[in-house]
Amino acid sequence: MPETPDGAESPAESSIDAPDLHKVDARSLRGLAHPLRLRLLGALREFGPATASALAARLGESSGATSYHLRQLAAYGFVEDDPERGKGRERWWRAAHRGTVFDSGRFLTHPDPEVRGAVGVVMHEIATAHARELNTWIGTMREWPEEWNEGWDISDFQMRLTPDLALELIGKVHELIESYRDLVPEGTEGAANVRSHVHLFPRPAE
């Protein structure tokens, strides 16, 4: 079950019903399946509440486009108004949940071709976001303090598994990552937001 950006995490089965994760249905998945909507949602989750104009500047889009797609995201329950920040006609938006999960296996075999197409759009955009984030890190890694020289990893592994064992491994990896989530308080000196991408998929033998 993938989680759309802010992450690119896929939560373990035990965390799917967590109150800060939004599990989407076929209808809301279709509403999310747009590259700019996914980028807007990712930006709100990573950087916090913002106006349509601020998001337009961050993403290199027009404020008209960001405003329209934010309203669409709100209609499907992904974002909401942030009344504590809005002043006058200025409208602030915030993500409604920390993450969004969906049953990709069920949607990939859904009888509605629109749903199957929507899950493809979302998955490709997640993969693109992962590649973009990783390439940005590689391009800026020398700008980080020396303490971070060893605090990162780019690895890949190959092994033979059954589908059940693959699902078990995914769950254990997610549980381990989640166990680190609240260990470092806000404002801790030397700390930074860390991104984890988890990819596990079958490959042909030849």
mmCIF file with all atom_site columns, all heavy atoms in Angstrom, residues 131-143 152 154:
data_model
loop_
_atom_site.group_PDB
_atom_site.id
_atom_site.type_symbol
_atom_site.label_atom_id
_atom_site.label_alt_id
_atom_site.label_comp_id
_atom_site.label_asym_id
_atom_site.label_entity_id
_atom_site.label_seq_id
_atom_site.pdbx_PDB_ins_code
_atom_site.Cartn_x
_atom_site.Cartn_y
_atom_site.Cartn_z
_atom_site.occupancy
_atom_site.B_iso_or_equiv
_atom_site.pdbx_formal_charge
_atom_site.auth_seq_id
_atom_site.auth_comp_id
_atom_site.auth_asym_id
_atom_site.auth_atom_id
_atom_site.pdbx_PDB_model_num
ATOM 1   N N   . ALA A 1 131 ? 12.816 10.158 -7.603  1.00 0.00 ? 131 ALA A N   1
ATOM 2   C CA  . ALA A 1 131 ? 14.019 10.409 -8.394  1.00 0.00 ? 131 ALA A CA  1
ATOM 3   C C   . ALA A 1 131 ? 14.435 11.875 -8.288  1.00 0.00 ? 131 ALA A C   1
ATOM 4   O O   . ALA A 1 131 ? 15.630 12.183 -8.164  1.00 0.00 ? 131 ALA A O   1
ATOM 5   C CB  . ALA A 1 131 ? 13.767 10.024 -9.849  1.00 0.00 ? 131 ALA A CB  1
ATOM 6   N N   . ARG A 1 132 ? 13.457 12.781 -8.310  1.00 0.00 ? 132 ARG A N   1
ATOM 7   C CA  . ARG A 1 132 ? 13.759 14.207 -8.213  1.00 0.00 ? 132 ARG A CA  1
ATOM 8   C C   . ARG A 1 132 ? 14.395 14.541 -6.877  1.00 0.00 ? 132 ARG A C   1
ATOM 9   O O   . ARG A 1 132 ? 15.385 15.283 -6.802  1.00 0.00 ? 132 ARG A O   1
ATOM 10  C CB  . ARG A 1 132 ? 12.468 15.002 -8.436  1.00 0.00 ? 132 ARG A CB  1
ATOM 11  C CG  . ARG A 1 132 ? 12.654 16.521 -8.427  1.00 0.00 ? 132 ARG A CG  1
ATOM 12  C CD  . ARG A 1 132 ? 11.396 17.233 -8.901  1.00 0.00 ? 132 ARG A CD  1
ATOM 13  N NE  . ARG A 1 132 ? 10.237 16.874 -8.104  1.00 0.00 ? 132 ARG A NE  1
ATOM 14  C CZ  . ARG A 1 132 ? 9.149  16.268 -8.595  1.00 0.00 ? 132 ARG A CZ  1
ATOM 15  N NH1 . ARG A 1 132 ? 9.082  15.945 -9.869  1.00 0.00 ? 132 ARG A NH1 1
ATOM 16  N NH2 . ARG A 1 132 ? 8.119  15.988 -7.810  1.00 0.00 ? 132 ARG A NH2 1
ATOM 17  N N   . GLU A 1 133 ? 13.842 14.000 -5.793  1.00 0.00 ? 133 GLU A N   1
ATOM 18  C CA  . GLU A 1 133 ? 14.392 14.270 -4.462  1.00 0.00 ? 133 GLU A CA  1
ATOM 19  C C   . GLU A 1 133 ? 15.808 13.720 -4.322  1.00 0.00 ? 133 GLU A C   1
ATOM 20  O O   . GLU A 1 133 ? 16.696 14.399 -3.774  1.00 0.00 ? 133 GLU A O   1
ATOM 21  C CB  . GLU A 1 133 ? 13.492 13.644 -3.398  1.00 0.00 ? 133 GLU A CB  1
ATOM 22  C CG  . GLU A 1 133 ? 12.157 14.336 -3.235  1.00 0.00 ? 133 GLU A CG  1
ATOM 23  C CD  . GLU A 1 133 ? 11.269 13.643 -2.218  1.00 0.00 ? 133 GLU A CD  1
ATOM 24  O OE1 . GLU A 1 133 ? 11.629 12.545 -1.748  1.00 0.00 ? 133 GLU A OE1 1
ATOM 25  O OE2 . GLU A 1 133 ? 10.216 14.214 -1.893  1.00 0.00 ? 133 GLU A OE2 1
ATOM 26  N N   . LEU A 1 134 ? 16.032 12.526 -4.814  1.00 0.00 ? 134 LEU A N   1
ATOM 27  C CA  . LEU A 1 134 ? 17.351 11.917 -4.701  1.00 0.00 ? 134 LEU A CA  1
ATOM 28  C C   . LEU A 1 134 ? 18.382 12.686 -5.520  1.00 0.00 ? 134 LEU A C   1
ATOM 29  O O   . LEU A 1 134 ? 19.504 12.940 -5.057  1.00 0.00 ? 134 LEU A O   1
ATOM 30  C CB  . LEU A 1 134 ? 17.298 10.455 -5.149  1.00 0.00 ? 134 LEU A CB  1
ATOM 31  C CG  . LEU A 1 134 ? 18.581 9.645  -4.986  1.00 0.00 ? 134 LEU A CG  1
ATOM 32  C CD1 . LEU A 1 134 ? 19.074 9.662  -3.544  1.00 0.00 ? 134 LEU A CD1 1
ATOM 33  C CD2 . LEU A 1 134 ? 18.356 8.212  -5.451  1.00 0.00 ? 134 LEU A CD2 1
ATOM 34  N N   . ASN A 1 135 ? 18.016 13.087 -6.721  1.00 0.00 ? 135 ASN A N   1
ATOM 35  C CA  . ASN A 1 135 ? 18.939 13.853 -7.557  1.00 0.00 ? 135 ASN A CA  1
ATOM 36  C C   . ASN A 1 135 ? 19.237 15.216 -6.941  1.00 0.00 ? 135 ASN A C   1
ATOM 37  O O   . ASN A 1 135 ? 20.366 15.717 -7.046  1.00 0.00 ? 135 ASN A O   1
ATOM 38  C CB  . ASN A 1 135 ? 18.361 14.014 -8.965  1.00 0.00 ? 135 ASN A CB  1
ATOM 39  C CG  . ASN A 1 135 ? 18.506 12.751 -9.788  1.00 0.00 ? 135 ASN A CG  1
ATOM 40  O OD1 . ASN A 1 135 ? 19.513 12.048 -9.697  1.00 0.00 ? 135 ASN A OD1 1
ATOM 41  N ND2 . ASN A 1 135 ? 17.515 12.433 -10.600 1.00 0.00 ? 135 ASN A ND2 1
ATOM 42  N N   . THR A 1 136 ? 18.241 15.831 -6.311  1.00 0.00 ? 136 THR A N   1
ATOM 43  C CA  . THR A 1 136 ? 18.475 17.104 -5.630  1.00 0.00 ? 136 THR A CA  1
ATOM 44  C C   . THR A 1 136 ? 19.464 16.932 -4.486  1.00 0.00 ? 136 THR A C   1
ATOM 45  O O   . THR A 1 136 ? 20.371 17.750 -4.285  1.00 0.00 ? 136 THR A O   1
ATOM 46  C CB  . THR A 1 136 ? 17.151 17.682 -5.097  1.00 0.00 ? 136 THR A CB  1
ATOM 47  O OG1 . THR A 1 136 ? 16.268 17.938 -6.192  1.00 0.00 ? 136 THR A OG1 1
ATOM 48  C CG2 . THR A 1 136 ? 17.389 18.978 -4.332  1.00 0.00 ? 136 THR A CG2 1
ATOM 49  N N   . TRP A 1 137 ? 19.306 15.840 -3.726  1.00 0.00 ? 137 TRP A N   1
ATOM 50  C CA  . TRP A 1 137 ? 20.241 15.568 -2.635  1.00 0.00 ? 137 TRP A CA  1
ATOM 51  C C   . TRP A 1 137 ? 21.663 15.384 -3.161  1.00 0.00 ? 137 TRP A C   1
ATOM 52  O O   . TRP A 1 137 ? 22.619 15.963 -2.631  1.00 0.00 ? 137 TRP A O   1
ATOM 53  C CB  . TRP A 1 137 ? 19.794 14.330 -1.858  1.00 0.00 ? 137 TRP A CB  1
ATOM 54  C CG  . TRP A 1 137 ? 20.924 13.624 -1.149  1.00 0.00 ? 137 TRP A CG  1
ATOM 55  C CD1 . TRP A 1 137 ? 21.450 12.419 -1.456  1.00 0.00 ? 137 TRP A CD1 1
ATOM 56  C CD2 . TRP A 1 137 ? 21.680 14.118 -0.044  1.00 0.00 ? 137 TRP A CD2 1
ATOM 57  N NE1 . TRP A 1 137 ? 22.494 12.109 -0.613  1.00 0.00 ? 137 TRP A NE1 1
ATOM 58  C CE2 . TRP A 1 137 ? 22.653 13.137 0.270   1.00 0.00 ? 137 TRP A CE2 1
ATOM 59  C CE3 . TRP A 1 137 ? 21.637 15.282 0.720   1.00 0.00 ? 137 TRP A CE3 1
ATOM 60  C CZ2 . TRP A 1 137 ? 23.562 13.288 1.307   1.00 0.00 ? 137 TRP A CZ2 1
ATOM 61  C CZ3 . TRP A 1 137 ? 22.554 15.433 1.756   1.00 0.00 ? 137 TRP A CZ3 1
ATOM 62  C CH2 . TRP A 1 137 ? 23.489 14.455 2.046   1.00 0.00 ? 137 TRP A CH2 1
ATOM 63  N N   . ILE A 1 138 ? 21.813 14.606 -4.210  1.00 0.00 ? 138 ILE A N   1
ATOM 64  C CA  . ILE A 1 138 ? 23.144 14.366 -4.760  1.00 0.00 ? 138 ILE A CA  1
ATOM 65  C C   . ILE A 1 138 ? 23.775 15.675 -5.230  1.00 0.00 ? 138 ILE A C   1
ATOM 66  O O   . ILE A 1 138 ? 24.975 15.905 -5.065  1.00 0.00 ? 138 ILE A O   1
ATOM 67  C CB  . ILE A 1 138 ? 23.071 13.337 -5.909  1.00 0.00 ? 138 ILE A CB  1
ATOM 68  C CG1 . ILE A 1 138 ? 22.706 11.958 -5.349  1.00 0.00 ? 138 ILE A CG1 1
ATOM 69  C CG2 . ILE A 1 138 ? 24.402 13.263 -6.673  1.00 0.00 ? 138 ILE A CG2 1
ATOM 70  C CD1 . ILE A 1 138 ? 22.419 10.917 -6.405  1.00 0.00 ? 138 ILE A CD1 1
ATOM 71  N N   . GLY A 1 139 ? 22.966 16.542 -5.805  1.00 0.00 ? 139 GLY A N   1
ATOM 72  C CA  . GLY A 1 139 ? 23.487 17.811 -6.298  1.00 0.00 ? 139 GLY A CA  1
ATOM 73  C C   . GLY A 1 139 ? 23.843 18.805 -5.216  1.00 0.00 ? 139 GLY A C   1
ATOM 74  O O   . GLY A 1 139 ? 24.603 19.748 -5.458  1.00 0.00 ? 139 GLY A O   1
ATOM 75  N N   . THR A 1 140 ? 23.303 18.615 -4.001  1.00 0.00 ? 140 THR A N   1
ATOM 76  C CA  . THR A 1 140 ? 23.532 19.588 -2.924  1.00 0.00 ? 140 THR A CA  1
ATOM 77  C C   . THR A 1 140 ? 24.213 18.968 -1.700  1.00 0.00 ? 140 THR A C   1
ATOM 78  O O   . THR A 1 140 ? 24.393 19.652 -0.688  1.00 0.00 ? 140 THR A O   1
ATOM 79  C CB  . THR A 1 140 ? 22.198 20.203 -2.467  1.00 0.00 ? 140 THR A CB  1
ATOM 80  O OG1 . THR A 1 140 ? 21.322 19.161 -1.987  1.00 0.00 ? 140 THR A OG1 1
ATOM 81  C CG2 . THR A 1 140 ? 21.513 20.920 -3.625  1.00 0.00 ? 140 THR A CG2 1
ATOM 82  N N   . MET A 1 141 ? 24.611 17.714 -1.778  1.00 0.00 ? 141 MET A N   1
ATOM 83  C CA  . MET A 1 141 ? 25.109 17.016 -0.599  1.00 0.00 ? 141 MET A CA  1
ATOM 84  C C   . MET A 1 141 ? 26.357 17.669 0.003   1.00 0.00 ? 141 MET A C   1
ATOM 85  O O   . MET A 1 141 ? 26.584 17.585 1.214   1.00 0.00 ? 141 MET A O   1
ATOM 86  C CB  . MET A 1 141 ? 25.387 15.543 -0.927  1.00 0.00 ? 141 MET A CB  1
ATOM 87  C CG  . MET A 1 141 ? 26.389 15.318 -2.034  1.00 0.00 ? 141 MET A CG  1
ATOM 88  S SD  . MET A 1 141 ? 26.408 13.585 -2.631  1.00 0.00 ? 141 MET A SD  1
ATOM 89  C CE  . MET A 1 141 ? 26.720 12.668 -1.129  1.00 0.00 ? 141 MET A CE  1
ATOM 90  N N   . ARG A 1 142 ? 27.159 18.344 -0.808  1.00 0.00 ? 142 ARG A N   1
ATOM 91  C CA  . ARG A 1 142 ? 28.380 18.973 -0.284  1.00 0.00 ? 142 ARG A CA  1
ATOM 92  C C   . ARG A 1 142 ? 28.078 20.245 0.504   1.00 0.00 ? 142 ARG A C   1
ATOM 93  O O   . ARG A 1 142 ? 28.957 20.801 1.153   1.00 0.00 ? 142 ARG A O   1
ATOM 94  C CB  . ARG A 1 142 ? 29.344 19.272 -1.427  1.00 0.00 ? 142 ARG A CB  1
ATOM 95  C CG  . ARG A 1 142 ? 29.941 18.016 -2.044  1.00 0.00 ? 142 ARG A CG  1
ATOM 96  C CD  . ARG A 1 142 ? 30.862 18.324 -3.219  1.00 0.00 ? 142 ARG A CD  1
ATOM 97  N NE  . ARG A 1 142 ? 31.451 17.116 -3.761  1.00 0.00 ? 142 ARG A NE  1
ATOM 98  C CZ  . ARG A 1 142 ? 30.850 16.305 -4.625  1.00 0.00 ? 142 ARG A CZ  1
ATOM 99  N NH1 . ARG A 1 142 ? 29.620 16.595 -5.047  1.00 0.00 ? 142 ARG A NH1 1
ATOM 100 N NH2 . ARG A 1 142 ? 31.449 15.202 -5.071  1.00 0.00 ? 142 ARG A NH2 1
ATOM 101 N N   . GLU A 1 143 ? 26.843 20.716 0.444   1.00 0.00 ? 143 GLU A N   1
ATOM 102 C CA  . GLU A 1 143 ? 26.468 21.921 1.172   1.00 0.00 ? 143 GLU A CA  1
ATOM 103 C C   . GLU A 1 143 ? 26.087 21.619 2.616   1.00 0.00 ? 143 GLU A C   1
ATOM 104 O O   . GLU A 1 143 ? 25.915 22.539 3.421   1.00 0.00 ? 143 GLU A O   1
ATOM 105 C CB  . GLU A 1 143 ? 25.288 22.607 0.467   1.00 0.00 ? 143 GLU A CB  1
ATOM 106 C CG  . GLU A 1 143 ? 25.596 23.022 -0.971  1.00 0.00 ? 143 GLU A CG  1
ATOM 107 C CD  . GLU A 1 143 ? 24.368 23.510 -1.700  1.00 0.00 ? 143 GLU A CD  1
ATOM 108 O OE1 . GLU A 1 143 ? 23.306 23.716 -1.036  1.00 0.00 ? 143 GLU A OE1 1
ATOM 109 O OE2 . GLU A 1 143 ? 24.436 23.697 -2.936  1.00 0.00 ? 143 GLU A OE2 1
ATOM 110 N N   . TRP A 1 152 ? 23.662 9.063  5.429   1.00 0.00 ? 152 TRP A N   1
ATOM 111 C CA  . TRP A 1 152 ? 22.775 8.854  4.286   1.00 0.00 ? 152 TRP A CA  1
ATOM 112 C C   . TRP A 1 152 ? 23.104 7.512  3.650   1.00 0.00 ? 152 TRP A C   1
ATOM 113 O O   . TRP A 1 152 ? 24.123 6.913  3.941   1.00 0.00 ? 152 TRP A O   1
ATOM 114 C CB  . TRP A 1 152 ? 22.913 9.996  3.258   1.00 0.00 ? 152 TRP A CB  1
ATOM 115 C CG  . TRP A 1 152 ? 24.313 10.167 2.724   1.00 0.00 ? 152 TRP A CG  1
ATOM 116 C CD1 . TRP A 1 152 ? 25.312 10.899 3.290   1.00 0.00 ? 152 TRP A CD1 1
ATOM 117 C CD2 . TRP A 1 152 ? 24.857 9.581  1.546   1.00 0.00 ? 152 TRP A CD2 1
ATOM 118 N NE1 . TRP A 1 152 ? 26.457 10.811 2.541   1.00 0.00 ? 152 TRP A NE1 1
ATOM 119 C CE2 . TRP A 1 152 ? 26.203 9.997  1.444   1.00 0.00 ? 152 TRP A CE2 1
ATOM 120 C CE3 . TRP A 1 152 ? 24.342 8.748  0.563   1.00 0.00 ? 152 TRP A CE3 1
ATOM 121 C CZ2 . TRP A 1 152 ? 27.027 9.610  0.403   1.00 0.00 ? 152 TRP A CZ2 1
ATOM 122 C CZ3 . TRP A 1 152 ? 25.177 8.360  -0.475  1.00 0.00 ? 152 TRP A CZ3 1
ATOM 123 C CH2 . TRP A 1 152 ? 26.500 8.793  -0.543  1.00 0.00 ? 152 TRP A CH2 1
ATOM 124 N N   . ILE A 1 154 ? 22.414 5.034  -0.118  1.00 0.00 ? 154 ILE A N   1
ATOM 125 C CA  . ILE A 1 154 ? 21.799 4.657  -1.398  1.00 0.00 ? 154 ILE A CA  1
ATOM 126 C C   . ILE A 1 154 ? 22.210 3.210  -1.645  1.00 0.00 ? 154 ILE A C   1
ATOM 127 O O   . ILE A 1 154 ? 23.349 2.936  -1.999  1.00 0.00 ? 154 ILE A O   1
ATOM 128 C CB  . ILE A 1 154 ? 22.275 5.552  -2.561  1.00 0.00 ? 154 ILE A CB  1
ATOM 129 C CG1 . ILE A 1 154 ? 21.949 7.018  -2.290  1.00 0.00 ? 154 ILE A CG1 1
ATOM 130 C CG2 . ILE A 1 154 ? 21.618 5.110  -3.875  1.00 0.00 ? 154 ILE A CG2 1
ATOM 131 C CD1 . ILE A 1 154 ? 22.479 7.961  -3.369  1.00 0.00 ? 154 ILE A CD1 1
#
